[in-house]
Amino acid sequence: MKILVTGGAGFIGSAVVRLAIARGHQVVNLDALTYAANLENVAGAAGSDRYAFEHADIRDRAALDRILAQHQPDAIMHLAAESHVDRSIDGPDAFVQTNVIGTFNLLEAARAHWIARGKPEGFRFHHISTDEVFGSLGETGQFTEATPYDPRSPYSASKAGSDHLVRAWHETYGLPVVLTNCSNNYGPYHFPEKLVPVVILKALAGEPIPVYGDGGNIRDWLFVEDHADALLLVLEKGQPGRSYNIGGENEARNIDLVRMICAHMDELHPAGAPHADLITFVADRPGHDRRYAIDPARLRDELGWRPSVTVEQGLRRTVEWYLANRDWWQPLLARDGVGRRLGAA
């Protein structure tokens, strides 16, 4: 299968690219190379004769038409997005432009491509989204595919908008789409502005480890390589028009996750004192959702998928990777906004 992956130089997108190439697919990686993208993420796959790269922005319809006409993909996996909640609070415009307008452009380009090829039944447009579109849970319950949308941040609102567009293009035009909404990802190649890499790198530097609020916010943690595996499965076997929630089945409070990382750092990179001593509680961000939790029953029952990595296993592998790959993350610390508190307005 030839797959066009948007955002393939980003964190999740690059995991998809690496796995797809490893499994024998052809991949066209389309990426605008914004601040969080890094072609080093796909350096191992780039040497394959089944890999191609296109430097383009999903907001550029003419570029999308050209790329689709040139490469003639059998499927599109749409991962290109602005995704950092804190940045969306400070600058929501980029999130609306990329996540909503960009998705609209890609849908229209994909529809034209699909029609030009005679509307092949096997074509798929796979839209990758987030559990944040569902809002915040109380102490009990889980998000299902039927949970009403209730986004609370500019980021999640923009992703909710893109989800609605994808469903509308299926219902109105018959475009064969599948959607997935995932829980919090972590793992190797994670850009150093998200919680897990921030904790690792702050601990490594002996600097205060910031934890928002009381640290009681709960997330379901999904190892990125497990996520990539689930995404390819949905692309190949998911039912058109259907959505699938992807979770790690690993709920944890932020403070407990931070302490787990610190414990791994104590073992793998011991300092003069426990790394947990560096934990510092800071003012919470506006509209911080209290709890997310995924019910993965549909994905498990219909397609037979379950995560293979526990949060303890995944965190250890992630800490080991960051300790072994300083040449990857050190240059990223100089990029715009990295290391500064964002989204405090």
Side-chain angles (χ1 to χ4, degrees), residues 42 76 165 187 243 257 283 289 293-294 323:
V42 293
I76 296 172
L165 288 173
S243 64
L257 187 89
D289 293 336
I294 287 281
L323 291 176

Side-chain angles (χ1 to χ4, degrees), residues 141-164:
Q142 293 180 310
F143 297 134
T144 72
E145 290 81 2
T147 299
Y149 276 40
D150 187 23
R152 308 291 187 90
S153 71
Y155 162 60
S156 58
S158 68
K159 288 298 289 184
S162 67
D163 289 11
H164 293 322

Side-chain angles (χ1 to χ4, degrees), residues 176-187:
V177 309
V178 287
L179 296 88
T180 50
N181 295 83
C182 69
S183 57
N184 279 40
N185 279 229
Y186 69 100

Side-chain angles (χ1 to χ4, degrees), residues 5-306:
V5 179
T6 72
F11 172 46
I12 302 173
S14 65
V16 171
V17 169
R18 294 191 302 269
L19 185 59
I21 290 290
R23 290 183 176 175
H25 296 295
Q26 294 176 271
V27 174
V28 180
N29 178 2
L30 187 161
D31 202 293
L33 298 181
T34 58
Y35 79 93
N38 190 347
L39 287 175
E40 290 298 316
N41 297 359
V42 293
S48 170
D49 59 4
R50 289 178 282 105
Y51 173 88
F53 176 70
E54 291 283 356
H55 185 192
D57 194 314
I58 59 172
R59 296 173 297 177
D60 184 347
R61 173 64 191 276
L64 296 177
D65 288 338
R66 175 188 63 78
I67 290 165
L68 288 170
Q70 176 182 342
H71 293 282
Q72 295 290 308
D74 305 304
I76 296 172
M77 299 184 73
H78 178 32
L79 295 105
E82 294 286 347
S83 66
H84 190 37
V85 175
D86 289 358
R87 286 182 185 263
S88 81
I89 294 169
D90 290 345
D93 180 71
F95 288 74
V96 174
Q97 292 299 321
T98 296
N99 299 352
V100 180
I101 304 303
T103 298
F104 163 74
N105 283 333
L106 187 63
L107 282 165
E108 280 291 85
R111 183 165 70 96
H113 167 70
W114 176 60
I115 292 171
R117 294 187 65 181
K119 297 185 177 180
E121 291 185 6
F123 180 79
R124 291 292 181 271
F125 184 105
H126 183 180
H127 178 64
I128 289 84
S129 190
T130 171
D131 60 357
E132 296 191 38
V133 299
F134 300 125
S136 184
L137 288 166
E139 294 182 1
T140 60
Q142 293 180 310
F143 297 134
T144 72
E145 290 81 2
T147 299
Y149 276 40
D150 187 23
R152 308 291 187 90
S153 71
Y155 162 60
S156 58
S158 68
K159 288 298 289 184
S162 67
D163 289 11
H164 293 322
L165 288 173
V166 172
R167 286 192 175 89
W169 259 242
H170 173 71
E171 295 294 338
T172 303
Y173 304 112
L175 186 69
V177 309
V178 287
L179 296 88
T180 50
N181 295 83
C182 69
S183 57
N184 279 40
N185 279 229
Y186 69 100
Y189 300 100
H190 206 175
F191 190 75
E193 66 180 359
K194 301 293 182 77
L195 178 60
V196 171
V198 165
V199 174
I200 295 170
L201 299 186
K202 291 293 188 182
L204 187 58
E207 298 175 355
I209 298 171
V211 175
Y212 288 168
D214 62 1
N217 302 77
I218 296 172
R219 301 292 183 263
D220 175 14
W221 292 93
L222 174 63
F223 192 60
V224 69
E225 293 171 13
D226 272 345
H227 188 198
D229 177 59
L231 292 176
L232 287 173
L233 178 64
V234 171
L235 178 72
E236 294 166 6
K237 297 185 178 180
Q239 180 180 331
R242 204 130 168 92
S243 64
Y244 298 86
N245 283 353
I246 306 174
E249 299 183 40
N250 285 303
E251 279 190 62
R253 296 188 307 161
N254 284 352
I255 186 60
D256 295 331
L257 187 89
V258 171
R259 286 170 177 153
M260 279 190 269
I261 296 170
C262 288
H264 287 306
M265 287 293 296
D266 289 343
E267 181 181 349
L268 297 169
H269 192 273
H275 289 91
D277 290 352
L278 298 170
I279 294 173
T280 304
F281 294 96
V282 300
D284 210 350
R285 73 176 176 219
H288 196 181
D289 293 336
R290 191 65 176 173
R291 176 174 172 261
Y292 305 145
I294 287 281
D295 178 356
R298 175 178 291 179
L299 185 61
R300 181 183 64 241
D301 297 345
E302 292 187 12
L303 303 184
W305 186 88
R306 296 198 75 159

